Amino acid sequence: MPIKVSVVIPVYNPGTYIEDCIASLLRQSMPDDEYEAIFVNDGSTDGTPQRLDRLAAEHPHMRVIHQEGSGWSGKPRNVGVAAAKGEFIQFVDNDDWLGDDALERMYNYGVENNADVIVGKMAGKGRPVPRELFRENRPHANVENAPLIDSLTPHKMFRKAFLDKHNLRYMEGRRRLEDHVFVTEAYLRAENVAVLSDYLCYYHVKREDASNAGFQRFDPVGYFKNLREALDVVEKLTEPGPLRDRLFRRWLRVEMVERMRGQRLLKLPVDYRRELFDEMHKVVVERFGPGVAAGMQPTQQIVAGLIAADRLADIEEFAKWESGIKPSGVLENLGWENGKLTIGFTAEYTSAGVPVTFRADGEKDLLVPSLPETSLDAIALLDVNISAALAGSKVDLVVSERATAAEFFQPVEFTRERVAVEGREGHFRQVLRATAQVDPLSAANGAALDRGIWDVHIRITSCGWSKGVRLGSVRGDGAGRGLGAAVVGSPAHSVLPYWTDPHGNLSLDVDQKTNKISYEFAGLTAADVSVTTGPDSLTVALPFHVQGECMVGLKLTNVATSRAVDLPATLTARGTGRAELSAGLPLGELVDGQWRLRLILPSTGAGKPVDLPWALDVSASGGAVVKRLAASAKAPGSRGLASRLVKSTFLRRAAGRLRRALKK
């Protein structure tokens, strides 16, 4: 069987961090005889060489190459490419790991779209990863129609014949940004690049000891010398003009401007700030024409202009002001509509807890930062108009799975509102008023949300700020009253919106990752349960949102003997937020005694039961009555929205009164 994919892993002293990488490679859904993993040990001095030898002895498709230390990742990657037998090559770092289906999905997607490069969706575990690139699948991407240039790490799949045709290899030796040079050239030479966004392929991990190479302080002179090599590739393969400016803009924005902003700058030692700044200034004046910074967002233009003007002190003042800029959101309303969770909210930026304000000056809108007069004068000379940026402000709603960090954008409609600031003529705030819909059956880029806890975030993009915040801790009067769980799809999935403890943010428990759904039954009364005879049947009214009718299960467990009886059941919509569970009861087959009632939703893997607060007492004569079980003495954690809204609101207000009293 020809090898489809060769996975190349450069290895240097990873210690136990390599275990997750190894485990993910062994779990791949692609058959073992269709892929290989090539670990290139670059002079490790810990126990890794012996660990890899044992791995290779146990698994024929796991290979190991030992070599003397080269000092960086370039040479071991090249050695792996030379040894690879696969049609495609996937690069993985020794402290990262792959999703279980990653190789199979990426390979199939690449073949289907005749791609030279396949970029799989990434999740950052303590590390930043591109977001906009993975908003949707992009089967035919290039540097002009997609933000590929935002993703320059090597963790992608490349067609080996493509690499050989163009003699694409990594620069070797101890150096920085060799991946930028390699990936940039690959993007510019590829016939097609395919971006797979509907499956989480690659987990990019920050070690707890922060010993990843990318987190080490670098020598500014050497770093920006290597950065110039990436710019050289762009100059070699593009013509002067808008495309080249847009590609150059990535290095100006990410490697320079963003290092000079907010706390990222202020946390650096003063002498190191100056070293970085001086090297940035040289690159900006040597390599970037006016079109590079002109396409950036206003706050980025300000910092870029101050770098070019050699004004570090003003950049530091601007960073102090920007460090207080925070996104904020108010959850205005929340409700189920036709199996979808509708979320209404408002969003805006604040500075030191106060809304950020802008000033209208004729046909221009201006930023109003709180800075010393000399810094304001320097910024005024740059003449940065923010009108277009405000007109392009947007807000996204993202759901993020807590354990895996998988995240997906949800459909949002929003308006931009200019709100006058009282007592300040010409000054205004910008408020984004939005409505999002989360369809649990298609929220993961067209696929259903997996079982787990999905946290709800909003992300505001405006004026060069792009920051996210959890949604729900600040709520309007219409947020969540009477809201409960929903059962959607076939097979049925349960989705429970709830407030987290202690912050009160909005999260979704999909398919009973927790037991919180049981608390939704606290308000059931005896009138909600009925047993009828001829034919024997059980009917229970449940606080669920259901569309039409879906098949579920009912488990009866004898309290004394633990004998269980599984029955088919139907869940039928009976008005807003109410559903009727009905099942036939084989009373003649049930021995006398008490039978605990549990609801089974088919989507929860092994059929994790939901405890209902009722038991069925069956007499020896075959009669049956329903009794309510005593409530558990154990206090629940974060309950559902309906059961916790009043209590949580009361506690927040009480806590606020206490804080104010203590300040007096």
Side-chain angles (χ1 to χ4, degrees), residues 336-341 438-441 485-490 492-493 544-551 570-580:
W336 289 105
E337 295 180 14
N338 300 320
K340 301 176 182 179
L341 184 63
V438 180
D439 182 350
L441 300 180
V487 179
V488 297
S490 179
H493 292 263
F544 284 164
H545 296 261
V546 178
Q547 278 189 286
E549 184 175 283
C550 62
M551 298 303 297
T570 303
L571 202 57
T572 306
R574 290 289 185 262
T576 303
R578 303 294 288 179
E580 183 178 271

Side-chain angles (χ1 to χ4, degrees), residues 106-322:
M106 291 176 72
Y107 174 84
N108 290 338
Y109 194 64
V111 171
E112 176 186 343
N113 294 293
N114 195 28
D116 293 322
V117 184
I118 305 97
V119 185
K121 182 168 184 169
M122 303 175 70
K125 307 286 281 186
R127 304 188 69 155
V129 296
R131 286 189 168 90
E132 191 65 31
L133 177 62
F134 300 118
R135 182 182 287 268
E136 61 186 0
N137 283 342
R138 304 175 192 266
H140 302 286
N142 56 53
V143 294
E144 296 188 64
N145 66 19
L148 289 175
I149 202 68
D150 288 345
S151 180
L152 293 180
T153 62
H155 315 118
K156 299 162 179 63
M157 189 176 286
F158 300 86
R159 189 184 297 272
K160 188 173 189 296
F162 164 73
L163 298 182
D164 292 341
K165 175 182 177 181
H166 296 287
N167 195 28
L168 269 172
R169 297 295 186 268
Y170 290 92
M171 302 178 94
E172 298 185 1
R174 188 166 183 82
R175 49 170 297 111
R176 293 280 184 162
L177 304 181
E178 79 289 344
D179 48 354
H180 287 206
V181 176
F182 180 91
V183 175
T184 298
E185 184 166 357
Y187 284 158
L188 291 172
R189 292 194 182 279
E191 293 292 328
N192 184 40
V193 180
V195 181
L196 178 64
S197 301
D198 59 7
Y199 180 76
L200 189 45
C201 299
Y202 196 95
Y203 294 85
H204 199 24
V205 181
K206 179 182 178 181
R207 295 187 189 180
E208 293 180 1
D209 59 5
S211 61
N212 311 71
F215 284 93
Q216 306 308 304
R217 180 184 290 192
F218 56 80
D219 166 45
V221 175
Y223 187 88
F224 287 100
K225 176 185 176 183
N226 296 152
L227 184 146
R228 288 177 174 90
E229 293 166 342
L231 302 181
D232 291 342
V233 171
V234 175
E235 287 191 343
K236 181 175 69 173
L237 298 176
T238 65
E239 297 295 327
L243 175 60
R244 181 182 291 181
D245 286 345
R246 181 151 60 85
L247 297 178
F248 275 178
R249 195 173 298 137
R250 185 267 174 216
W251 284 278
L252 175 59
R253 173 173 50 86
V254 177
E255 308 301 332
M256 302 180 207
V257 167
E258 291 304 319
R259 295 181 190 274
M260 293 283 114
R261 296 182 69 184
Q263 285 299 317
R264 189 171 180 185
L265 171 67
L266 299 176
K267 288 179 179 179
L268 296 176
V270 174
D271 57 343
Y272 188 58
R273 289 183 207 172
R274 170 54 70 178
E275 291 178 46
L276 278 174
F277 179 82
D278 287 344
E279 295 305 315
M280 292 176 184
H281 173 71
K282 292 175 185 176
V283 175
V284 169
V285 298
E286 289 172 10
R287 304 296 293 266
F288 297 151
V292 178
M296 300 175 77
Q297 290 292 310
T299 50
Q300 296 167 344
Q301 287 186 45
I302 288 171
V303 176
L306 294 174
I307 293 174
D310 199 14
R311 299 187 67 100
L312 176 58
D314 296 323
I315 286 178
E316 290 171 332
E317 291 295 338
F318 193 69
K320 293 175 186 176
W321 177 73
E322 274 203 300

Side-chain angles (χ1 to χ4, degrees), residues 502-522:
H503 302 296
N505 292 311
L506 176 63
S507 292
L508 309 178
D509 180 358
V510 176
D511 288 340
Q512 297 173 255
K513 184 65 176 178
T514 72
N515 66 346
K516 295 179 177 63
I517 198 168
S518 298
Y519 306 134
E520 296 301 293
F521 307 137

Side-chain angles (χ1 to χ4, degrees), residues 13-50:
N13 285 354
T16 58
Y17 289 98
I18 201 172
E19 295 301 329
D20 285 334
C21 178
I22 292 172
S24 76
L25 291 169
L26 293 174
R27 288 197 306 266
Q28 289 302 300
S29 60
M30 180 175 279
D32 290 357
D33 59 356
E34 294 184 5
Y35 76 101
E36 63 178 356
I38 304 172
F39 295 87
V40 183
N41 170 39
D42 195 47
S44 295
T45 57
D46 59 3
T48 303
Q50 295 77 22

Side-chain angles (χ1 to χ4, degrees), residues 401-591:
E401 207 285 311
R402 192 174 297 175
T404 65
E407 63 176 30
F408 298 98
F409 291 90
Q410 304 304 303
V412 177
E413 294 182 355
F414 64 90
T415 57
R416 306 176 186 93
E417 300 180 5
R418 295 167 72 108
V419 180
V421 177
E422 188 175 352
R424 300 181 66 186
E425 184 176 355
H427 287 70
F428 63 93
R429 303 155 43 204
Q430 185 182 65
V431 177
L432 303 174
R433 191 171 300 278
T435 300
Q437 278 201 328
V438 180
D439 182 350
L441 300 180
S442 62
N445 279 9
L449 294 176
D450 288 335
R451 181 172 183 262
I453 296 174
W454 293 83
D455 297 323
V456 178
H457 305 252
I458 61 171
R459 176 165 290 272
I460 310 172
T461 302
S462 179
C463 298
W465 301 309
S466 184
K467 301 183 179 184
V469 65
R470 290 293 307 277
L471 183 65
S473 60
V474 181
R475 303 193 280 271
D477 291 338
R481 294 189 183 278
L483 192 67
V487 179
V488 297
S490 179
H493 292 263
S494 66
V495 184
L496 174 68
Y498 71 96
W499 308 130
T500 63
D501 281 335
H503 302 296
N505 292 311
L506 176 63
S507 292
L508 309 178
D509 180 358
V510 176
D511 288 340
Q512 297 173 255
K513 184 65 176 178
T514 72
N515 66 346
K516 295 179 177 63
I517 198 168
S518 298
Y519 306 134
E520 296 301 293
F521 307 137
L524 295 181
T525 67
D528 293 318
V529 184
S530 63
V531 179
T532 61
T533 57
D536 299 329
S537 63
L538 174 71
T539 302
V540 183
L542 297 177
F544 284 164
H545 296 261
V546 178
Q547 278 189 286
E549 184 175 283
C550 62
M551 298 303 297
V552 293
L554 184 67
K555 180 183 287 288
L556 277 62
T557 304
N558 189 283
V559 175
T561 67
S562 297
R563 177 194 168 200
V565 176
D566 291 311
L567 304 174
T570 303
L571 202 57
T572 306
R574 290 289 185 262
T576 303
R578 303 294 288 179
E580 183 178 271
L581 174 71
S582 57
L585 285 179
L587 292 179
E589 301 177 19
L590 299 178
V591 299

